[in-house]
Amino acid sequence: AQSVTQLDSQVPVFEEAPVELRCNYSSSVSVYLFWYVQYPNQGLQLLLKYLSGSTLVESINGFEAEFNKSQTSFHLRKPSVHISDTAEYFCAVSDPGNQFYFGTGTSLTVIP
Amino acid sequence: NAGVTQTPKFQVLKTGQSMTLQCAQDMNHEYMSWYRQDPGMGLRLIHYSVGAGITDQGEVPNGYNVSRSTTEDFPLRLLSAAPSQTSVYFCASSPTSPKTQYFGPGTRLLVL
């Protein structure tokens, strides 16, 4: 079984400042990697994903994540956050066994 | 497309009662899954299905049953509700294996 570690449970950051949300996973086998975002009282929405190819993946709203196989990491970054980015962010891993594993989440709070 | 729908949105049960959480998707996705979300624990997989007639257990299956008689529907049954099953339940679907999951809005369950 996989394990996914999100090291920071809460991240406060000022508006327009950069942010990095950290994610590490356990497996050394081929995996697919995802970041999901959850706004209050809503379901999860896909933010970005790594399936294969370029190790740097981007979302349409300015987030990016880099797959680092040697460090088994998939950290999420944004160079300048907005108030609307306040949400819970989940890192997830899918293995070849058809199971999906989520981290415990990071609550990002953007301060005006 | 309505995407993934879940009913009910809220439910209060007494210990020992049974109920079924409904999940339906209109995207012709083969893969469907159920998660529970608890504070500080992220999302944990309860059961999943890779197609009609096929189901399998996830990380926390005890106390829950599922069936998949059609591609569209994937109901989750609580056999005898317990306070430990108080949680938010999410259903998700994916076109092929769990590469990109689409989540429903969730069902908030309180067991007294």
Side-chain angles (χ1 to χ4, degrees):
Chain A
Q2 295 279 337
S3 69
V4 180
T5 303
Q6 292 183 244
L7 296 168
D8 306 301
S9 59
Q10 297 186 19
V11 174
V13 62
F14 286 105
E15 191 174 16
E16 298 183 6
V19 69
E20 178 180 79
L21 307 183
R22 295 178 291 171
C23 173
N24 288 87
Y25 61 97
S26 62
S27 176
S28 60
V29 300
S30 296
V31 295
Y32 304 120
L33 298 160
F34 306 82
W35 276 99
Y36 282 84
V37 59
Q38 184 181 32
Y39 299 103
N41 298 313
Q42 294 187 24
L44 277 71
Q45 304 173 28
L46 179 68
L47 188 59
L48 47 75
K49 62 184 177 185
Y50 170 79
L51 304 181
S52 64
S54 173
T55 57
L56 184 66
V57 290
E58 299 177 353
S59 72
I60 59 174
N61 56 354
F63 283 95
E64 64 178 30
E66 186 162 17
F67 168 53
N68 188 320
K69 186 176 182 178
S70 63
Q71 297 186 4
T72 59
S73 68
F74 192 55
H75 301 329
L76 181 69
R77 303 183 183 94
K78 188 170 185 179
S80 176
V81 295
H82 302 288
I83 296 291
S84 59
D85 294 325
T86 294
E88 188 90 13
Y89 291 81
F90 291 94
C91 181
V93 170
S94 167
D95 68 13
N98 275 334
Q99 293 218 18
F100 219 84
Y101 303 88
F102 282 86
T104 53
T106 297
S107 177
L108 174 64
T109 300
V110 180
I111 305 164
Chain B
N1 287 351
V4 180
T5 58
Q6 292 184 238
T7 56
K9 290 186 178 180
F10 304 96
Q11 184 69 50
V12 179
L13 292 178
K14 295 181 179 179
T15 297
Q17 287 184 315
S18 62
M19 78 160 295
T20 299
L21 280 64
Q22 301 293 342
C23 174
Q25 51 91 9
D26 60 358
M27 298 175 283
N28 201 32
H29 288 171
E30 292 295 322
Y31 185 94
M32 296 186 73
S33 54
W34 276 102
Y35 296 87
R36 59 177 292 172
Q37 182 179 26
D38 303 292
M41 303 188 75
L43 278 77
R44 292 179 292 169
L45 182 64
I46 304 172
H47 286 285
Y48 66 98
S49 168
V50 299
I54 306 169
T55 64
D56 207 345
Q57 295 181 352
E59 183 184 357
V60 288
N62 292 340
Y64 307 96
N65 273 356
V66 291
S67 60
R68 185 91 181 272
S69 56
T70 67
T71 299
E72 294 77 21
D73 301 300
F74 191 44
L76 178 72
R77 297 183 191 83
L78 279 70
L79 308 173
S80 177
S84 61
Q85 294 178 305
T86 292
S87 187
V88 182
Y89 291 84
F90 288 100
C91 179
S93 73
S94 173
T96 51
S97 78
K99 286 187 181 180
T100 301
Q101 295 198 82
Y102 297 84
F103 284 81
T107 293
R108 284 163 174 74
L109 176 67
L110 173 62
V111 182
L112 300 174

